Amino acid sequence: MVEQQRRDPARDRVAVVTGGSGGIGQAICRRLADDGCAVVINYAGRPAEAERLAATITDRGGRAVAVRADVADEGDVAALFEAAESAFGGVDVVINTAGVMELSPLAELDLAVLDRMHRINIRGTFVVAREASRRVRSGGAIINLSSSVVKIALPTYAAYAASKGAVDALTLILAKELRGRDITVNAVAPGPTATPLFLDGKDQESIDRLARMAPLERLGVPADIAEVVAFLAGPARWVNGQVVYANGGVI
């Protein structure tokens, strides 16, 4: 058996990170830039945060640009990938971080909320993954953001968990559809993680209770998730078609 020639798994690679101006997204962008990736920071809102992050990475000697795109709009997403190719010559890694979370008991669920989460969490992930499957270069990686709540099954999370269950299914099937391309497809499923998205609307008692769920007895932080994503984006070439739970042992 001929051993494949290996190169530095991160150096000189180009990563597109959707939702790159958010809490976990920013941590992922910083970590990948530290690992040597050129980073395309996608945002829909928070343009100032995205531009500031790009400037910070550049000032530290990295390569980064911020590009606005609605992940659920196929024209925007095509333009996002074209911007990445124009700036850095191609795309090797795509991380689907963009997402929204709104909580409600199912009996009280406003269907407009369900539709919004469907549009961003499901349609957005599908649109980006479809474009990635067409453009990512051999040796690359596609990484979707799922959620541990799919298995933890907490009350009020039904709509959000359902949207992330769809992400799990997409991930496992796309990994098989890309057979022969040398492209890995995985999902990372964070547990309770201290981000503005997670903390919004929760009282301190609820936050403390969720923190105690993990044997490590703390909430995750964005850097915990970025570490797992960086592993899948670089050296983890034999991890494929998996949902990796990054939750401190909650399940």
Side-chain angles (χ1 to χ4, degrees):
M1 181 177 180
V2 178
E3 184 177 355
Q4 292 183 342
Q5 184 177 1
R6 291 192 174 272
R7 59 179 177 135
D8 187 316
R11 185 67 53 184
D12 298 326
R13 286 157 74 87
V14 178
V16 173
V17 183
T18 72
S21 64
I24 290 176
Q26 286 199 32
I28 290 170
C29 290
R30 290 192 186 95
R31 174 57 188 267
L32 293 180
D34 288 345
D35 286 348
C37 285
V39 181
V40 178
I41 305 163
N42 160 249
Y43 66 94
R46 298 189 295 268
E49 287 89 340
E51 294 290 353
R52 186 161 48 246
L53 177 58
T56 298
I57 291 171
T58 301
D59 289 346
R60 292 168 56 182
R63 297 171 294 153
V65 295
V67 180
R68 187 194 177 284
D70 175 355
V71 293
D73 184 291
E74 57 186 318
D76 275 14
V77 170
L80 169 65
F81 278 78
E82 287 161 9
E85 291 169 350
S86 176
F88 300 120
V91 177
D92 302 287
V93 178
V94 175
I95 298 120
N96 266 309
T97 308
V100 294
M101 179 174 66
E102 298 188 48
L103 306 182
S104 169
L106 186 58
E108 302 168 14
L109 180 65
D110 182 341
L111 292 182
V113 169
L114 178 65
D115 290 344
R116 180 168 180 259
M117 282 195 284
H118 182 282
R119 185 178 188 278
I120 298 173
N121 297 359
I122 300 179
R123 177 184 168 91
T125 301
F126 269 75
V127 171
V128 173
R130 184 180 69 169
E131 200 68 30
S133 69
R134 296 169 176 174
R135 296 185 187 248
V136 168
R137 296 183 287 204
S138 178
I142 299 170
I143 303 162
N144 298 318
L145 263 288
S146 179
S147 173
S148 289
V149 78
V150 175
K151 287 193 175 181
I152 298 173
L154 295 173
T156 75
Y157 282 80
Y160 178 71
S163 74
K164 291 302 185 177
V167 171
D168 289 357
L170 159 66
T171 299
L172 304 184
I173 292 169
L174 184 57
K176 295 182 177 181
E177 291 181 349
L178 295 185
R179 174 183 292 273
R181 296 271 304 280
D182 190 24
I183 296 170
T184 61
V185 186
N186 293 289
V188 175
T193 305
T195 66
L197 178 69
F198 173 79
L199 297 173
D200 183 44
K202 293 183 175 69
D203 58 31
Q204 191 59 48
E205 182 181 356
S206 298
I207 293 169
D208 292 343
R209 184 178 67 254
L210 290 164
R212 289 192 298 269
M213 289 175 64
L216 297 178
E217 296 188 331
R218 67 171 176 86
L219 294 177
V221 296
D224 293 323
I225 311 308
E227 183 174 27
V228 179
V229 169
F231 175 63
L232 295 173
R237 298 308 303 166
W238 197 234
V239 181
N240 190 28
Q242 305 297 316
V243 178
V244 180
Y245 288 86
N247 59 29
V250 172
I251 55 174

